[in-house]
Amino acid sequence: MKKIALATLLAATTLVATAQVSVSGKISTFVDNTKIGAVSATSLATDPTSNITFSATENIGGGLKARVVLDTSLAANDPTGGADTKLGNRQSTIGLANSLGSVDLGRNLHSHFLAITNNDAFGTLYGSVAGDVHNLRGLRLSNGTFISLKPIMGVTATYDRTHNGVGTEASSYSAGATMFGVNATVAQFTQGSEKSTVIGASAKLGTAKVFYTHSDDKGVVTSTGDLVGISQPFGAVTAKASYGKTNTDVKAYALGADYNLSKRTIVGATYRNVDAVGTASDIKQVGVGVTHRF
């Protein structure tokens, strides 16, 4: 009996020791799934969000790890709309992983969205204009099965079988490789007659990092979009800029800077401008934010 109790205590101690807690808060301009050419007019900073994330990993032997991620955000709608703050963008997965890949079940960011945001100077943070240049299908988060494989060093392939926010089945595929300092990704999102293909790349040029994404959307929304960006560190400050346009006369750019107060705390500011030619639906936004990781 004592041996069983001791084994249980050791297992619990290992789990606590490998658990990682990440808490971050930011006031941000939100990357939305706005359809091309149908952006809405806004002003100043909108959609303040605070994210709380808990993740734990347990080594279960043979190079295999069990993991769980719980994430939620407190998100307010556009202040001019008068909507109350609400919980949103919840993410929760449980899965297994080793050096060859991983399998996760739950609600997660799908690979099509990641192919765009991983090749964006602003990532998924405030200020990104990726949602205005590319149609981010599946509302970013999807419920389902997420499989990742690493057949050879430097190459990753993924497959997601998911349901989006309205419960429609979708599939997302991606393949990525790193060669000669360039990270390249190809991804496709399919949902019924809707199909979106993304090609993305990022690379370091000296101390700067450059980014590029191209999207080709077919279905209800038929369009192509290109987005280029750069981030350049200057000591504790990292300056960022991106510019994108579509073949439907949407042009957008973002300018921003992050300042490292410490290794764990970053403050930032961004100006975001979207010009939907021929419409009154232009966007001019200023976003400010603070992110801290424990």
Side-chain angles (χ1 to χ4, degrees), residues 150-217:
K150 299 178 181 179
I152 59 176
M153 184 178 295
V155 176
T156 302
T158 69
Y159 170 68
D160 312 334
R161 185 64 177 176
T162 67
H163 289 71
N164 70 0
V166 296
T168 305
E169 281 200 19
S171 295
S172 181
Y173 307 84
S174 76
T178 302
M179 286 185 174
F180 309 109
V182 177
N183 300 309
T185 308
V186 177
Q188 186 175 88
F189 185 92
T190 303
Q191 186 176 53
S193 60
E194 300 286 324
K195 182 178 290 186
S196 178
T197 303
V198 171
I199 299 172
S202 62
K204 273 198 168 185
L205 291 179
T207 58
K209 191 171 184 180
V210 293
F211 306 84
Y212 171 73
T213 47
H214 171 80
S215 62
D216 185 2
D217 299 314

Side-chain angles (χ1 to χ4, degrees), residues 6 71 99 101 103 114 137 144 162 176 182 186 207 240-241 247-248 270:
L6 179 59
D71 173 275
S99 60
V103 177
L114 291 174
R137 302 300 176 96
T162 67
V182 177
V186 177
T207 58
K240 299 181 293 186
N247 65 337
T248 56
T270 300

Side-chain angles (χ1 to χ4, degrees), residues 36 133-134 214-217 222-226 245-248:
I36 302 301
V133 177
H134 306 306
H214 171 80
S215 62
D216 185 2
D217 299 314
T222 300
S223 66
T224 60
D226 293 279
K245 65 178 182 178
T246 74
N247 65 337
T248 56

Side-chain angles (χ1 to χ4, degrees), residues 8-28:
T8 303
L9 178 60
L10 288 174
T13 303
T14 302
L15 179 59
V16 172
T18 57
Q20 297 180 349
V21 179
S22 172
V23 181
S24 64
K26 53 186 177 290
I27 299 177
S28 63

Side-chain angles (χ1 to χ4, degrees), residues 22 51-54 69-73 88-92 141:
S22 172
N51 290 83
I52 299 174
T53 304
F54 172 82
V69 176
L70 299 173
D71 173 275
T72 191
S73 66
N89 283 341
R90 290 176 294 278
Q91 174 187 344
S92 58
L141 286 162

